[in-house]
Amino acid sequence: MKLFADLASLRRLTLSSAAVFFSLLTFSQNIAVGTWRTHFSYNNAQHLITTSDKIFCATAFGLFSREIETGTTRKLSKIDGLSDIGVSAISYNENANVLVIGYQSGFIDFIYEDEIIGISDIALSNLEGDKTINEIAFDNSNTYLATDLGVIVIRTSTAEIVENYVQIGSNGISVSVLDIEVKNDSLFVMTEEGIQSGMLSANLLDFSSWTMYLSTGSFTNLIQVGNELYALSGLDLFRFSSGWIDSGIDLPAGATRLFELNEVLASASSGTIYQLDNTGFSTILSTPAENINGVVELGGSIFIADDELGLVNPTGESLSPDGPLSDDFSNIRLLSNQLYGFHAPSPLTFEGDDQELSFSVFVDGQWENQTIQDFTNVSDVASYNGSLYFSSIGDGIYDELNETIISDIPNSSVQLDTVIASLASGSSLWISSFGNDNPIHLMDQDQNWTSFSSTFLGQDEYLTIDVSNLGIGWLGATTGLITVLDPEEVQADQISTSDGLPSSFIDVDISVEDNAWVATSRGPALFADASFIFFDSNGIRPTFDGRTLFEGEQINAVMTDGGNRIWFGTNSGLWVFDENTSEQVAVFTEANSPLPSDQIIQLEYNGSNGEVFILTARGMVSFRSSSSIGSRRHSNVNIFPNPVRPDYQGLVGLTGLTNNASVKVTDVKGNLVTELKANGGTASWNLKDVRGSNVNTGIYLFFSSDSAGEETYVGKIAVVR
């Protein structure tokens, strides 16, 4: 399968001449077709660094800058030209005006005044072992990286690797370098053997050029403050003066790390920040941030990286950008243009101890955290009969309209039904209940309940529910089988490998045309006419290019869009095919797109604007596809962006079209420029004519119609070159 992705050009990330400055696209609710946005959490702050006017803060997968004077906060990612996510080290060289970012993957970014240079040699090498960039240090001409592969030396002015000190341990063995500092004319490194140093003027490729300091094998947290080097051994503070000397000063109770705070040595414990003076550590600040990973001072104010609160000021006020509560999602669900992200524990292992109070909601282009009083571990949501119903792992079901918690389902075989894995809506509200002899329940509009027993359905626990157009439930079980249930005719059956299921079920999606696509651990299967599965239960293995599609490969997620195209989330990226799998539309991977990971976990689709939310093993991103759910008539047609500015390099999207409309593009004189075909309710134009040439500045008209030529629409757009 060839690799292809219809991506807009990645923007470049640069430093201004005065200080670090990022020029980013500010995303609103409606992003352009073919563009991406990230949905990382910014609560788990791990690394802080300052420039003359900014703070850079890295979380587990996110990175952002905060401008102190204006308060402007900007999210930074691969979308902006960075090489990766998962920052492991970050440092700023003021003399060279360069920001250096190291990643867990081994990628490195040098961000200069007018360009980014990414270094991929380590990340893409065949070297075995952890490639994480552990720490960064500078001298007048070089940048030194501490890695498990040794010390990587990079010429700062050109971002070229010039040396690698590998076998520098005892008797020339290879050692992992955990920390690194440049002091005067020497390089100090901390390895698993201890601290050693070497003169920068010496041949540091030769292990004999290094001095090993005995009894430093237990030392941690090598740090330079001013011109002094410090390290820890347990709670004991050591200082370097021709050798390592016990200062006689202990860390404050509970403190485990050292920080540099405006050329003063600092530490922190349980929300209290201390600084070293002539007599020991004394308190300088008490803060609500209790899990402190970093402390910096800028403009006379102290800022803190907290494990749970993100970037905060001394009063505990969050300075982080919006984002979900956590990057760990148990489920995501799209309803009415809102994405719900849940962080509940697994129903398979729940024992009553977990109490996740909040869930995350993405609405109008912003993330917010929500809670329901006395209702925790929210696992799913469904819209039914004018109300939103939320399910919980442990607390039952919450009816938002009536503000009531249902913790005792009528007709149930147990008194309390509180562990609810998933919900779905159709003519009834469908509910899957764990640890219950009646695992499936239905509630109708009059709040009458119908329960189906495990004797009738089979001895399964159900993780997912999908409902066909005519009300047939497709129930995904923990056993890897699928049970189909017709509640009207009171009949049920199991779909297994004998029916064409390649292997254990993982995900199900029922398309707008009522076809059931099933993702399994050994490829996908199609069951046409999901509502008539009792008449024909034979699955079809889709083919592409003369071969069975994804044969033997695990499919983690499957989704169909408004154009009936099929999206497959795998362990090797996200693949998009047309409705017949005869054409490969796109492939998105870490290498060719802003995807944070090739391991796709879950997909959700916003049918109104075509945005695909992609949950991966390393956080979530979304992509505005060139599709949406169409309707019988043109409705609220939107042309975006309009006008097209000279620097715009992406696609123009037309949404709100009649289903699978044909669109002709002409100039104002009526000359045909090109023709487009909608995917569902959306068509996209690459601003080229039928010959593939870029169109000139001018006004262009769109003529859209259905297949019969009866339902029509005329719109216009201004293009400025």
Side-chain angles (χ1 to χ4, degrees):
M1 298 181 183
K2 64 181 181 179
L3 293 178
F4 171 77
D6 53 344
L7 300 174
S9 299
L10 287 178
R11 294 171 59 88
R12 301 308 294 168
L13 186 63
T14 62
L15 301 177
S16 71
S17 57
V20 183
F21 174 79
F22 292 89
S23 178
L24 301 174
L25 179 64
T26 301
F27 289 119
S28 62
Q29 181 182 10
N30 193 21
I31 62 174
V33 171
T35 59
W36 297 76
R37 56 179 156 191
T38 61
H39 302 279
F40 299 134
S41 174
Y42 297 94
N43 293 331
N44 181 6
Q46 298 293 316
H47 304 279
L48 286 183
I49 193 70
T50 62
T51 67
S52 59
D53 64 345
K54 284 185 177 64
I55 296 174
F56 289 87
C57 180
T59 61
F61 301 128
L63 174 67
F64 66 95
S65 68
R66 172 85 178 189
E67 189 172 331
I68 299 306
E69 184 174 343
T70 65
T72 302
T73 302
R74 301 185 186 276
K75 302 174 184 178
L76 315 169
S77 70
K78 291 173 66 177
I79 296 172
D80 312 297
L82 297 180
S83 293
D84 203 359
I85 67 164
V87 174
S88 57
I90 183 169
S91 192
Y92 176 63
N93 186 326
E94 184 176 3
N95 293 331
N97 190 27
V98 59
L99 184 73
V100 180
I101 304 174
Y103 301 91
Q104 296 168 8
S105 61
F107 279 104
I108 308 150
D109 282 328
F110 276 64
I111 305 175
Y112 297 97
E113 181 177 348
D114 56 359
E115 68 174 333
I116 298 174
I117 297 179
I119 302 175
S120 61
D121 303 59
I122 300 171
L124 301 182
S125 71
N126 293 324
L127 296 171
E128 296 182 359
D130 192 337
K131 299 177 181 179
T132 300
I133 309 302
N134 296 323
E135 278 297 342
I136 303 169
F138 305 101
D139 67 8
N140 292 332
S141 57
N142 292 327
T143 300
Y144 301 90
L145 307 179
T147 77
D148 282 7
L149 306 174
V151 177
I152 311 297
V153 186
I154 301 175
R155 185 170 291 113
T156 304
S157 60
T158 61
E160 296 176 300
I161 295 178
V162 295
E163 202 59 84
N164 183 9
Y165 307 142
V166 180
Q167 297 171 325
I168 60 174
S170 301
N171 299 315
I173 66 171
S174 296
V175 289
S176 297
V177 180
L178 309 175
D179 214 336
I180 192 165
E181 292 288 347
V182 175
K183 175 177 168 60
N184 298 331
D185 55 0
S186 295
L187 185 66
F188 284 76
V189 298
M190 178 179 290
T191 75
E192 66 262 42
E193 290 190 325
I195 297 176
Q196 56 191 81
S197 68
M199 297 284 292
L200 290 169
S201 58
N203 177 19
L204 295 183
L205 292 171
D206 184 352
F207 76 92
S208 64
S209 298
W210 292 83
T211 299
M212 174 66 71
Y213 298 97
L214 301 178
S215 302
T216 60
S218 63
F219 281 25
T220 60
N221 204 176
L222 180 65
I223 189 171
Q224 184 170 199
V225 178
N227 200 37
E228 296 286 346
L229 278 179
Y230 297 92
L232 291 177
S233 178
L235 295 178
D236 298 327
L237 178 67
F238 281 76
R239 181 175 60 86
F240 182 78
S241 178
S242 70
W244 287 96
I245 302 170
D246 189 342
S247 68
I249 299 172
D250 293 337
L251 255 64
T256 59
R257 296 180 59 181
L258 301 174
F259 307 105
E260 191 275 337
L261 186 60
N262 197 23
E263 296 195 352
V264 175
L265 187 67
S267 188
S269 172
S270 300
T272 302
I273 300 174
Y274 307 86
Q275 72 175 16
L276 182 66
D277 54 30
N278 293 331
T279 59
F281 284 96
S282 58
T283 300
I284 60 170
L285 182 67
S286 293
T287 167
E290 295 187 356
N291 304 287
I292 298 173
N293 291 322
V295 180
V296 296
E297 184 175 13
L298 186 62
S301 297
I302 292 176
F303 300 90
I304 300 156
D306 184 77
D307 214 24
E308 297 179 355
L309 302 178
L311 176 64
V312 295
N313 63 17
T315 64
E317 177 188 5
S318 174
L319 306 178
S320 296
D322 72 286
L325 180 69
S326 167
D327 292 306
D328 295 323
F329 293 92
S330 57
N331 187 25
I332 58 175
R333 179 76 71 181
L334 199 295
L335 283 180
S336 303
N337 292 321
Q338 297 187 25
L339 182 76
Y340 294 83
F342 303 113
H343 314 280
S346 169
L348 296 169
T349 58
F350 180 70
E351 295 181 354
D353 298 328
D354 300 281
Q355 295 291 315
E356 180 57 62
L357 301 178
S358 304
F359 56 96
S360 307
V361 183
F362 184 66
V363 54
D364 294 332
Q366 295 286 319
W367 280 97
E368 57 186 49
N369 298 327
Q370 295 184 4
T371 59
I372 301 172
Q373 186 175 358
D374 299 324
F375 196 75
T376 64
N377 299 333
V378 182
S379 59
D380 205 352
V381 62
S383 177
Y384 178 70
N385 198 27
S387 180
L388 287 181
Y389 287 85
F390 293 88
S391 62
S392 164
I393 306 299
D395 288 334
I397 304 167
Y398 177 75
D399 178 350
E400 184 178 68
L401 181 64
N402 297 302
E403 298 182 344
T404 57
I405 296 175
I406 303 170
S407 58
D408 187 1
I409 297 175
N411 304 321
S412 175
S413 61
V414 294
Q415 184 178 2
L416 295 178
D417 294 321
T418 59
V419 180
I420 311 298
S422 59
L423 302 172
S425 62
S427 58
S428 300
L429 179 68
W430 293 65
I431 301 159
S432 67
S433 177
F434 263 61
N436 192 328
D437 289 342
N438 292 335
I440 296 295
H441 308 275
L442 275 70
M443 184 186 75
D444 67 15
Q445 295 183 5
D446 297 321
Q447 294 194 344
N448 297 314
W449 291 81
T450 304
S451 301
F452 295 89
S453 70
S454 55
T455 303
F456 174 69
L457 294 173
Q459 299 294 322
D460 284 336
E461 299 278 18
Y462 297 103
L463 290 169
T464 64
I465 305 173
D466 292 86
V467 181
S468 74
N469 292 351
L470 298 182
I472 304 301
W474 286 65
L475 316 175
T478 56
T479 58
L481 300 177
I482 296 173
T483 295
V484 287
L485 170 63
D486 184 343
E488 295 295 327
E489 299 296 330
V490 193
Q491 59 179 329
D493 198 3
Q494 284 189 330
I495 297 176
S496 64
T497 53
S498 62
D499 301 300
L501 200 65
S503 185
S504 298
F505 138 87
I506 296 178
D507 190 24
V508 175
D509 183 76
I510 298 177
S511 72
V512 293
E513 295 188 354
D514 208 34
N515 295 321
W517 283 92
V518 181
T520 81
S521 58
R522 296 185 62 81
L526 168 64
F527 293 84
D529 298 322
S531 294
F532 297 91
I533 188 65
F534 291 100
F535 298 95
D536 181 9
S537 62
N538 293 318
I540 301 170
R541 297 297 306 275
T543 61
F544 174 72
D545 202 19
R547 295 186 299 174
T548 300
L549 184 65
F550 296 114
E551 185 171 16
E553 294 186 43
Q554 180 164 308
I555 310 297
N556 301 319
V558 63
M559 182 205 82
T560 53
D561 66 18
N564 215 31
R565 301 179 300 183
I566 309 99
W567 299 62
F568 297 103
T570 73
N571 289 328
S572 58
L574 180 60
W575 305 69
V576 189
F577 291 85
D578 70 349
E579 60 182 321
N580 301 313
T581 68
S582 60
E583 178 188 354
Q584 181 181 295
V585 178
V587 179
F588 302 108
T589 66
E590 284 186 71
N592 72 0
S593 77
L595 271 182
S597 170
D598 286 339
Q599 184 180 355
I600 312 301
I601 296 174
Q602 191 175 349
L603 300 170
E604 276 291 292
Y605 179 66
N606 187 340
S608 66
N609 69 358
E611 189 167 12
V612 180
F613 291 85
I614 309 160
L615 179 60
T616 81
R618 301 174 71 205
M620 183 163 59
V621 296
S622 62
F623 174 74
R624 175 80 183 275
S625 72
S626 56
S627 73
S628 62
I629 301 295
S631 61
R632 297 181 63 183
R633 296 184 179 277
H634 292 89
S635 177
N636 298 318
V637 177
N638 182 40
I639 302 171
F640 181 82
N642 189 9
V644 176
R645 303 295 183 184
D647 59 346
Y648 185 70
Q649 302 295 320
L651 301 172
V652 171
L654 292 83
T655 61
L657 304 179
T658 184
N659 193 47
N660 297 327
S662 297
V663 182
K664 294 183 184 293
V665 184
T666 74
D667 61 22
V668 291
K669 296 181 180 180
N671 298 312
L672 181 67
V673 176
T674 192
E675 295 184 78
L676 311 172
K677 183 68 175 177
N679 289 306
T682 293
S684 58
W685 182 32
N686 61 3
L687 298 171
K688 296 181 184 295
D689 59 23
V690 290
R691 298 181 300 275
S693 301
N694 292 330
V695 297
N696 297 319
T697 295
I699 302 296
Y700 296 87
L701 303 178
F702 296 109
F703 296 88
S704 174
S705 64
D706 61 12
S707 58
E710 297 176 353
E711 174 62 31
T712 61
Y713 165 82
V714 180
K716 65 181 178 180
I717 187 173
V719 177
V720 182
R721 293 299 194 185

